[in-house]
Amino acid sequence: MGGALLEYWKRGDESFTIVDPFLENAPEGVTLVKDRAALGDKRFDVIIVAIKPQMIDDILPDYAPVLADDGYVVSMAAGAGIARISKVMATGDEPAPVIRIMPNLPAFVGKATNGLVAGPGVTDDQRKHAHAMMERTGTVVEVDDEDQLDRVTAVAGSGPGYVFELARAYVAAAEGIGFSHEQARALVLGTLEGTIAMAIDQDDQSLEDLRNSVTSKGGTTAAGLDALNGDGAVSRKFEETLEAAYTRAVELR
C-alpha cells in the first residue's frame, strides 16, 4: 500500500526517501537506503510510518531524532493509535504530532478513498499538507477522532472487498442466465462503472431519486429490485457487514 501511495505522493513538490532493508528498487525520483544509519544526521519534515504495528516499538524510536523540529508523522499502521506512535517518536518530553490515515485498495489506480484524523499538537498547516498529499491518491474524508477512523475502516478500508464480492455474485448470476464469463464481466463491470460515474456527476440528486429514475412501475427494474431488496434483506445485510467490520477494527486497536 505504501508503494502505491508513493507513486502519487511523489507527483508533488516533496522529495522522498525510503528506508527498507529488503527493497531492491525504488520508484523513479525516490531515494532508497537500507537502514537508519544511512540517513546520517539528515532530518525530515514528515516521517511516514508504513510498517506492521508489532514492529513500531522496536523500530520507530530510532527515527525520532531525524524528525525536524517542526515536522510531523503520518501513519498508515492499522491498529496503532496516535498516542502510541506519538510517544515512541517523542523527542525529550515533547510528543510528536501524528496524523493517521486509512487508505484503501483503489490507491493502486489513484482512486483511493482515504480517512484522515489529526492528533493533538498537529498544526493547521501540517493537517492541510497531509490532506493535500492524500488528495493526490484519490478523495479524503477527515474525521474527528480515532473511533471514527475505525468506522472509516469498516466502510472504505474494507469496502473494496464488499464491492468485489457483490460484483462476483452479479457476474455469476449473469452467467446463470446464459452469458459467457467474458460477456458477463463486461456487462456487470461496465454497468457498475457507468452507474457510479453518474451518481458522482449528479451529486445534487439522492441515490434514491436516481434509483427511482430508472424504475418504471411494473417494469423489469421494479421486478428485479423487489427480488433484490423488497424485504429489506440487503439493507440489513449491509448493516450487519459494517457493524462486524467496525467491531473487529476496535478489537485490533
Side-chain angles (χ1 to χ4, degrees), residues 1-189:
M1 181 63 75
L5 294 171
L6 182 58
E7 286 292 338
Y8 295 92
W9 283 340
K10 70 187 184 73
R11 297 179 183 183
D13 296 330
E14 306 90 350
S15 59
F16 290 86
T17 298
I18 301 173
V19 182
D20 191 323
F22 305 109
L23 191 65
E24 294 299 325
N25 298 291
E28 184 178 355
V30 175
T31 301
L32 172 64
V33 299
K34 294 297 184 180
D35 53 39
R36 160 67 180 87
L39 298 176
D41 58 0
K42 291 180 180 177
R43 304 188 77 189
F44 297 86
D45 297 319
V46 182
I47 291 179
I48 298 170
V49 180
I51 57 177
K52 295 179 180 179
Q54 59 266 33
M55 302 168 68
I56 285 173
D57 295 331
D58 293 330
I59 292 177
L60 278 192
D62 287 342
Y63 290 85
V66 304
L67 182 63
D69 291 338
D70 58 351
Y72 71 99
V73 179
V74 172
S75 174
M76 66 180 76
I82 286 173
R84 177 184 174 192
I85 297 168
S86 183
K87 181 179 179 181
V88 299
M89 286 295 293
T91 53
D93 295 329
E94 289 296 321
V98 176
I99 291 175
R100 282 187 63 195
I101 58 172
M102 174 52 63
N104 66 3
L105 191 63
F108 283 88
V109 292
K111 295 289 186 180
T113 300
N114 304 287
L116 184 154
V117 61
V122 172
T123 68
D124 194 48
D125 284 344
Q126 290 168 341
R127 181 192 58 77
K128 288 179 179 178
H129 179 255
H131 188 111
M133 282 182 57
M134 298 312 297
E135 277 192 322
R136 295 173 206 162
T137 74
T139 60
V140 184
V141 176
E142 291 196 35
V143 297
D144 295 329
D145 55 48
E146 292 185 271
D147 183 69
Q148 283 191 304
L149 196 69
D150 287 334
R151 298 172 193 271
V152 170
T153 301
V155 176
S158 299
Y162 317 149
V163 175
F164 285 136
E165 175 60 12
L166 288 170
R168 182 206 61 77
Y170 196 173
V171 168
E175 291 178 49
I177 62 169
F179 292 103
S180 69
H181 178 73
E182 291 74 18
Q183 290 173 321
R185 183 181 172 96
L187 286 167
V188 169
L189 296 186

